[in-house]
Amino acid sequence: MGFSFKTLLSLFPLVWVMLMQETSGSRHYYNVSNNIKGRKQAKNGCNLFQGKWVLDLSSYPLYNSSQCPFIDSEFDCLKYGRPDKQFLQYSWKPDSCNLPRFDGVNFLGKWKGKKIMFVGDSLSLNMWESLACMVQASVPNSKTTYVRKDPLSFVIFEDYGVTLYMYRTPYLVDIVRETVGAVLNLGSINGGNAWKGMDLLIFNTWHWWTHKGQSQAWDYIRDGSELYEDMDRLVAFNKGLTTWANWVDNNVDPNITKVSFQGISPTHYEGREWNQPNKNCNGELEPLSGPTYPAGAPPAAAVVNKVLGTMKNPVYLLDITTLSQLRKDAHPSTYGGLSGNDCSHWCLPGLPDTWNHLLYAALFM
Ligand SMILES: *[C@@H]1O[C@H](CO)[C@@H](O)[C@H](O)[C@H]1NC(C)=O
Ligand SMILES: *[C@@H]1O[C@H](CO)[C@@H](O)[C@H](O)[C@H]1NC(C)=O
Ligand SMILES: *[C@@H]1O[C@H](CO)[C@@H](O)[C@H](O)[C@H]1NC(C)=O
């Protein structure tokens, strides 16, 4: 993630504004079943996110990475020489139900004519590419249109009119150019103009809130009339996420658009979190067994729960934090096609396929 937003903004301010203002064109609305209220986690009494990882040699992986045109090099671990393959074959087993098989044709039929948008940082990108590969593998001969741009990319499955968008905005709230420089404005969310007219929105943000030094995308933080050089990052996250929650409550018609929040995606740089202080994700070949992560939930997950709990509109929390914490084996580490050791993103095929599989079980059926 050596990508600098400050550089991008200073080089292409006009392009940035144009893309920020880009909205979707013609809109076809279909009635979406409106029964997600009250089942933030449980579906038919089953908590999809409580369970364990089991080896399943027959159903996974869901696609062949060398046949999926949508995978960025940073997630393409097999192409970059990851030698072990077992990480591809773990299946998430909820304690009290079985996941339905992922059926891309069924998905395309049910979501015919609809627009689905992932909004957030590179973990959203990771999940978007995963879903595009999962669906494409089900209809390998179907015509697709594929456009990669920043901030808006998309894949259209033309025979079904299903569009999967990816809108990249690492904080959800805006970075605004002021005379002092790039300002992370905790109360500004003009990017939201590009998220209207969707049938499903899947949001995520957290990782960039922690970034300092070279990878910090702003010079100052604005909270109302106050300008800060820095502030407690969890406090800033809480304020920014609250701005997002208000945006959803004021701009999304829950009868038309479903909303999901992709829970906090964990990193594995600190082996002490799983009682192996000298390790990180590099060289890890297996998930942790059992249902819990020794270090417990990251503090940002509590902020997500708190903010979602205050919302008027129903938001489906795709609560992938714990099940992902168990997957210390699922990161690119040194096989991400970039230099360095990436214990933050996830290989494809891999863990994000399970996130999409769970989203499918919860919302797409
Ligand atoms: C959508 O739902 C509304 C209200 O329940 C109903 O009046 C309308 O006919 C439905 N439209 C379609 C296309 O099913
Ligand atoms: C994946 O696709 C490539 C290229 O088509 C093929 O050579 C390879 O055998 C496939 N791998 C698997 C596991 O099917
Ligand atoms: C959503 O639909 C319900 C039932 O048809 C209706 O009572 C409600 O006013 C609608 N909400 C909005 C925001 O349009």
Side-chain angles (χ1 to χ4, degrees), residues 28-77:
H28 280 285
Y29 292 142
Y30 294 78
N31 283 351
V32 176
S33 69
N34 190 32
N35 58 348
I36 50 175
K37 195 156 202 154
R39 60 170 166 96
K40 282 195 169 165
Q41 292 192 17
K43 175 161 173 94
N44 305 329
C46 174
N47 182 339
L48 295 174
F49 308 103
Q50 192 180 305
K52 59 176 184 296
W53 289 102
V54 295
L55 261 181
D56 179 348
L57 302 180
S58 60
S59 336
Y60 283 83
L62 296 175
Y63 51 89
N64 179 333
S65 56
S66 65
Q67 291 173 4
C68 180
F70 313 121
I71 305 182
D72 283 352
S73 58
E74 57 181 317
F75 312 133
D76 204 345
C77 301

